Amino acid sequence: MKIAAQENEKTRRQVKMRMEWENMKRMVGTSLFFVVLFSAIWIGILYRRHEAIPQLMLGIFTCISLLVQIGFGSYGFWWMQQRNRQEAKKITTCYWLATSITFGGCMLLAKTTWEVTFYLFLLILALAMIPLLSRRKFLFSVGTQVLLSIVLLIQGSLDLEHWLYTLAACSLCGIISRQQYSSHWRKFEDGCRLSNIQNQAETDSMTHLLNRRGLERRITTIWPMCERQGMNVAVIMLDIDHFKKYNDAFGHGKGDACIQAIAGKLIENTPRKSDYAARVGGEEFL
C-alpha cells in the first residue's frame, strides 16, 4: 500500500509538471499573439485624431500591456530552455491575472459598445480557452467574467443583447477549457504511468542501474545517432574481483551492500544524459 501511494504521488507530480509545461508553452504563444494585437491597436490609436485625451490614456495603457506581454513571453521562453525548471504555477497565474487587468482596463477606457465587446471577448479567450485551468482557477475566472459583464451592463457600456452574447461565449469557452484540462490530465497521467512502468521493467531493483533490457533499448537509440554524427562510443565493462569469496565469507547482505556501493559510484560518474550504466550480471557492470 505504501509503495502504491508513493507511485501515485510520483505520477501526480509528473502530471503537474507536464501541465505546467503545457501552460507555459501556451503562455508564450498567447503573449506573442497579444504583442502583435496590441501593437496593431497602438498604431491605430496614433492615427485617430478625435477624443485626444481618452485615446491618449488608452494608448498608454496599451503600451504598458504590450510591455507586460513581452516580459512574460520572454520569461516563458527562457523557462522552457532551462534543464532544471522551477515551479511555474505562480508565473502562469500572474500572467492570467495581468492579462485580465489589461483587458478590464481597456474595457473601462473604451467608448463604443463594439470596443467593449471586443475586449471582453478577448478576456474570455485568454481566461477560458487558452490556459489549462484547474477547477479552482476555472471557477474564479468564470466568476470574474460574469461579475465584470454585469458591471458593464449596469454601467451602460453593454446592452442586453451583447451581454447575452458574451455570457454564451463565456459558457462555451468554459466548457472547452474544462474538456481540454480533463483530456490533457488523462493523457499526461497515462503517459507518466506507462513511463514509470517501463522504467521499472528496465531498472535493476537493487542497484537502480539499468538492467539488460534497459541497456539494449538505450543502445538502439544512441548507436544510430552516433553513426549519423560520426561520433565514437566508449564501452567499459567491469566486474568485482573475488566477489564470490567476499560473499561467502561475510554473507549475502554484505555482498549486496558491496554491489550497491559500486553502483552508487557508477551513478555518480555517469551524470550526462548520454551516459548509461547497467548491471548485466551478478557482479558485472557495463
Side-chain angles (χ1 to χ4, degrees):
M1 291 293 292
K2 185 177 181 180
I3 296 176
Q6 291 176 349
E7 289 297 327
N8 290 333
E9 183 63 25
K10 179 181 177 181
T11 301
R12 190 173 184 84
R13 288 197 303 268
Q14 291 174 339
V15 173
K16 287 183 177 180
M17 190 62 191
R18 292 193 181 186
M19 295 290 280
E20 288 185 6
W21 170 270
E22 181 68 21
N23 264 341
M24 188 63 73
K25 184 174 68 175
R26 288 168 178 244
M27 188 187 81
V28 173
T30 307
S31 62
L32 180 61
F33 169 76
F34 284 138
V35 164
V36 176
L37 178 66
F38 282 130
S39 299
I41 293 174
W42 190 71
I43 293 173
I45 290 172
L46 292 179
Y47 282 94
R48 296 178 66 173
R49 302 294 184 182
H50 62 287
E51 298 180 358
I53 300 301
Q55 291 301 316
L56 178 60
M57 294 180 62
L58 184 59
I60 294 174
F61 198 83
T62 303
C63 187
I64 294 174
S65 304
L66 181 63
L67 295 176
V68 169
Q69 296 293 331
I70 293 175
F72 276 104
S74 301
Y75 177 84
F77 182 79
W78 172 84
W79 183 88
M80 295 173 68
Q81 305 303 315
Q82 300 302 305
R83 183 174 180 180
N84 298 321
R85 303 182 187 92
Q86 299 177 351
E87 185 177 354
K89 187 185 300 182
K90 293 181 180 179
I91 299 299
T92 52
T93 302
C94 290
Y95 174 73
W96 308 131
L97 182 61
T99 304
S100 305
I101 295 174
T102 295
F103 290 125
C106 290
M107 278 184 282
L108 295 176
L109 293 173
K111 295 301 179 181
T112 64
T113 302
W114 184 89
E115 289 178 344
V116 173
T117 307
F118 172 73
Y119 287 120
L120 186 56
F121 269 98
L122 287 180
L123 173 62
I124 294 172
L125 179 68
L127 286 180
M129 287 189 66
I130 298 171
L132 297 176
L133 297 172
S134 61
R135 183 179 301 174
R136 183 184 302 174
K137 293 182 181 179
F138 171 74
L139 293 175
F140 176 77
S141 65
V142 171
T144 302
Q145 296 166 29
V146 173
L147 180 62
L148 183 58
S149 63
I150 293 175
V151 171
L152 293 172
L153 179 65
I154 296 174
Q155 187 181 355
S157 301
L158 281 178
D159 54 26
L160 183 60
E161 181 179 1
H162 286 85
W163 183 69
L164 293 175
Y165 287 156
T166 55
L167 285 184
C170 177
S171 301
L172 179 61
C173 293
I175 292 173
I176 294 174
S177 175
R178 291 306 300 167
Q179 287 180 342
Q180 285 185 340
Y181 183 86
S182 300
S183 63
H184 276 76
W185 184 273
R186 287 195 298 269
K187 181 179 73 174
F188 292 154
E189 190 173 35
D190 292 341
C192 289
R193 291 187 186 279
L194 288 175
S195 178
N196 291 336
I197 292 173
Q198 187 178 35
N199 289 335
Q200 290 176 7
E202 296 178 349
T203 302
D204 180 66
S205 59
M206 187 174 71
T207 61
H208 302 293
L209 298 176
L210 295 174
N211 56 22
R212 283 181 175 271
R213 180 185 301 173
L215 179 63
E216 290 173 358
R217 189 170 73 86
R218 283 2 180 245
I219 290 176
T220 57
T221 58
I222 197 172
W223 196 268
M225 181 191 71
C226 292
E227 284 186 331
R228 287 194 303 268
Q229 299 182 3
M231 298 172 62
N232 295 324
V233 179
V235 180
I236 302 175
M237 293 196 67
L238 60 133
D239 60 10
I240 304 176
D241 292 338
H242 311 297
F243 178 74
K244 187 176 185 307
K245 293 181 180 179
Y246 181 87
N247 203 36
D248 292 340
F250 297 101
H252 293 289
K254 292 292 185 178
D256 291 346
C258 176
I259 292 176
Q260 291 172 348
I262 299 295
K265 291 298 181 181
L266 293 178
I267 292 174
E268 290 178 7
N269 289 276
T270 52
R272 299 178 299 179
K273 289 185 177 181
S274 59
D275 296 337
Y276 300 114
R279 183 187 181 194
V280 295
E283 71 279 6
E284 299 168 347
F285 304 90
L286 186 145

